[in-house]
Coordinates of all heavy atoms in Angstrom, one line a residue:
N220 N -12.7 1.3 -8.9 CA -12.5 2.7 -8.3 C -11.1 2.9 -7.8 O -10.5 4.0 -8.0 CB -13.6 3.0 -7.3 CG -13.6 4.4 -6.8 OD1 -13.8 4.6 -5.6 ND2 -13.3 5.4 -7.6
A221 N -10.6 1.9 -7.1 CA -9.2 2.0 -6.6 C -8.2 2.2 -7.7 O -7.1 2.8 -7.5 CB -8.8 0.8 -5.8
L222 N -8.5 1.7 -8.9 CA -7.5 1.8 -10.0 C -7.7 3.0 -10.9 O -6.9 3.2 -11.8 CB -7.7 0.5 -10.9 CG -7.4 -0.8 -10.2 CD1 -7.8 -2.0 -11.1 CD2 -6.0 -0.9 -9.7
T223 N -8.7 3.8 -10.5 CA -9.0 5.0 -11.4 C -8.3 6.3 -10.9 O -8.7 6.8 -9.9 CB -10.5 5.2 -11.4 OG1 -11.1 4.0 -11.9 CG2 -10.9 6.3 -12.4
H224 N -7.3 6.7 -11.6 CA -6.6 7.9 -11.3 C -7.5 9.1 -11.7 O -8.4 9.1 -12.5 CB -5.3 8.0 -12.2 CG -4.4 9.1 -11.8 ND1 -4.4 10.3 -12.5 CD2 -3.5 9.2 -10.9 CE1 -3.5 11.1 -12.0 NE2 -2.9 10.5 -11.0
S225 N -7.3 10.2 -11.0 CA -8.1 11.4 -11.2 C -8.1 11.9 -12.6 O -9.1 12.4 -13.1 CB -7.7 12.5 -10.2 OG -6.3 12.9 -10.4
S226 N -7.0 11.7 -13.3 CA -6.9 12.2 -14.7 C -7.8 11.4 -15.6 O -8.5 12.0 -16.5 CB -5.4 12.0 -15.2 OG -5.0 10.6 -15.2
Y227 N -8.0 10.1 -15.3 CA -8.9 9.3 -16.1 C -10.4 9.7 -15.7 O -11.2 9.9 -16.6 CB -8.7 7.8 -15.8 CG -9.6 6.9 -16.6 CD1 -9.2 6.5 -17.9 CD2 -10.9 6.5 -16.1 CE1 -10.1 5.6 -18.6 CE2 -11.7 5.7 -16.8 CZ -11.3 5.2 -18.1 OH -12.1 4.4 -18.8
A228 N -10.6 9.9 -14.4 CA -12.0 10.2 -14.0 C -12.4 11.6 -14.6 O -13.5 11.7 -15.0 CB -12.0 10.3 -12.5
N229 N -11.5 12.5 -14.6 CA -11.8 13.9 -15.2 C -12.1 13.8 -16.7 O -13.0 14.4 -17.2 CB -10.6 14.8 -15.0 CG -10.5 15.2 -13.5 OD1 -11.5 15.2 -12.8 ND2 -9.3 15.6 -13.1
E230 N -11.4 12.9 -17.4 CA -11.6 12.8 -18.8 C -12.9 11.9 -19.2 O -13.4 12.0 -20.3 CB -10.4 12.1 -19.5 CG -9.2 13.0 -19.6 CD -8.0 12.3 -20.1 OE1 -8.1 11.2 -20.7 OE2 -6.9 12.9 -20.0
N231 N -13.3 11.2 -18.2 CA -14.5 10.3 -18.4 C -15.6 10.6 -17.4 O -16.4 9.7 -17.1 CB -14.0 8.8 -18.3 CG -13.1 8.4 -19.4 OD1 -13.5 8.1 -20.5 ND2 -11.8 8.5 -19.1
R232 N -15.7 11.8 -17.1 CA -16.8 12.3 -16.1 C -18.2 11.9 -16.6 O -19.0 11.5 -15.8 CB -16.7 13.8 -15.9 CG -17.2 14.2 -14.6 CD -17.0 15.7 -14.4 NE -15.6 16.0 -14.3 CZ -14.9 16.3 -13.2 NH1 -15.6 16.2 -12.0 NH2 -13.7 16.6 -13.2
A236 N -17.3 7.9 -14.2 CA -16.0 7.5 -13.5 C -15.7 8.4 -12.4 O -15.8 9.6 -12.5 CB -14.9 7.5 -14.5
T237 N -15.3 7.8 -11.3 CA -14.8 8.6 -10.1 C -13.4 8.2 -9.7 O -13.0 7.0 -9.9 CB -15.7 8.4 -8.9 OG1 -15.8 7.0 -8.6 CG2 -17.1 8.9 -9.1
S238 N -12.6 9.1 -9.3 CA -11.2 8.9 -9.0 C -11.1 8.1 -7.7 O -12.0 8.0 -6.9 CB -10.4 10.2 -8.9 OG -10.6 10.8 -7.6
N239 N -9.9 7.6 -7.5 CA -9.6 6.8 -6.3 C -9.2 7.7 -5.1 O -8.7 7.1 -4.1 CB -8.4 5.8 -6.6 CG -7.1 6.5 -7.0 OD1 -7.0 7.7 -7.0 ND2 -6.2 5.7 -7.4
E240 N -9.3 9.0 -5.2 CA -8.9 9.9 -4.1 C -9.5 9.6 -2.8 O -8.9 9.7 -1.7 CB -9.0 11.3 -4.5 CG -8.0 11.7 -5.7 CD -8.2 13.0 -6.2 OE1 -9.3 13.6 -6.1 OE2 -7.3 13.5 -6.9
R241 N -10.8 9.4 -2.8 CA -11.5 9.1 -1.5 C -11.0 7.8 -0.9 O -10.8 7.7 0.3 CB -13.0 9.1 -1.7 CG -13.6 10.5 -1.8 CD -15.1 10.5 -2.1 NE -15.9 9.7 -1.1 CZ -16.3 10.1 0.1 NH1 -16.0 11.3 0.5 NH2 -16.9 9.3 0.9
E243 N -8.1 6.5 -1.4 CA -6.7 6.8 -0.9 C -6.8 7.4 0.5 O -5.9 7.0 1.3 CB -6.1 7.8 -1.9 CG -4.7 8.2 -1.5 CD -4.2 9.4 -2.3 OE1 -4.8 9.7 -3.3 OE2 -3.3 10.1 -1.8
L296 N -3.7 0.4 -13.7 CA -4.3 1.7 -13.5 C -5.0 2.2 -14.7 O -4.6 2.1 -15.8 CB -3.2 2.7 -13.0 CG -2.5 2.3 -11.7 CD1 -1.4 3.4 -11.4 CD2 -3.5 2.2 -10.6
L297 N -6.1 2.9 -14.5 CA -6.8 3.7 -15.5 C -6.3 5.1 -15.4 O -6.5 5.8 -14.4 CB -8.3 3.7 -15.3 CG -8.9 2.3 -15.3 CD1 -10.4 2.4 -14.9 CD2 -8.8 1.7 -16.7
L298 N -5.6 5.6 -16.4 CA -5.0 6.9 -16.5 C -5.5 7.7 -17.6 O -5.8 7.2 -18.7 CB -3.4 6.8 -16.6 CG -2.7 6.0 -15.5 CD1 -1.2 5.9 -15.9 CD2 -2.8 6.6 -14.2
G299 N -5.5 9.0 -17.4 CA -5.9 9.9 -18.5 C -4.8 10.0 -19.6 O -3.6 9.5 -19.3
V300 N -5.1 10.5 -20.7 CA -4.1 10.6 -21.8 C -2.8 11.3 -21.4 O -1.7 10.7 -21.6 CB -4.8 11.3 -23.0 CG1 -3.8 11.5 -24.2 CG2 -6.0 10.5 -23.5
E302 N -1.5 11.8 -18.4 CA -0.8 11.1 -17.3 C -0.2 9.8 -17.9 O 0.9 9.5 -17.6 CB -1.8 10.6 -16.2 CG -1.2 10.2 -15.0 CD -0.4 11.2 -14.3 OE1 -0.8 12.4 -14.2 OE2 0.7 10.9 -13.7
R310 N 5.3 6.6 -12.0 CA 5.6 7.6 -11.0 C 5.3 7.1 -9.6 O 4.2 6.6 -9.3 CB 4.7 8.8 -11.3 CG 5.3 9.6 -12.5 CD 4.7 11.0 -12.8 NE 4.1 11.6 -11.6 CZ 2.9 12.1 -11.6 NH1 2.1 12.1 -12.7 NH2 2.4 12.7 -10.5
V313 N 1.9 8.4 -8.0 CA 0.7 7.7 -8.5 C 0.6 6.3 -8.0 O -0.5 5.8 -7.6 CB 0.8 7.7 -10.1 CG1 -0.3 6.8 -10.7 CG2 0.7 9.1 -10.6
D316 N -0.3 6.3 -4.1 CA -1.7 6.7 -3.9 C -2.6 5.5 -4.3 O -3.6 5.2 -3.6 CB -2.0 7.9 -4.7 CG -1.3 9.2 -4.2 OD1 -0.7 9.1 -3.1 OD2 -1.4 10.2 -5.0

Side-chain angles (χ1 to χ4, degrees):
N220 186 214
L222 299 174
T223 304
H224 187 264
S225 59
S226 62
Y227 182 90
N229 289 337
E230 290 175 13
N231 294 278
R232 204 175 296 258
T237 57
S238 80
N239 62 7
E240 291 173 340
R241 286 178 49 84
E243 177 196 342
L296 297 179
L297 298 174
L298 301 174
V300 174
E302 194 65 40
R310 286 192 24 231
V313 171
D316 292 349

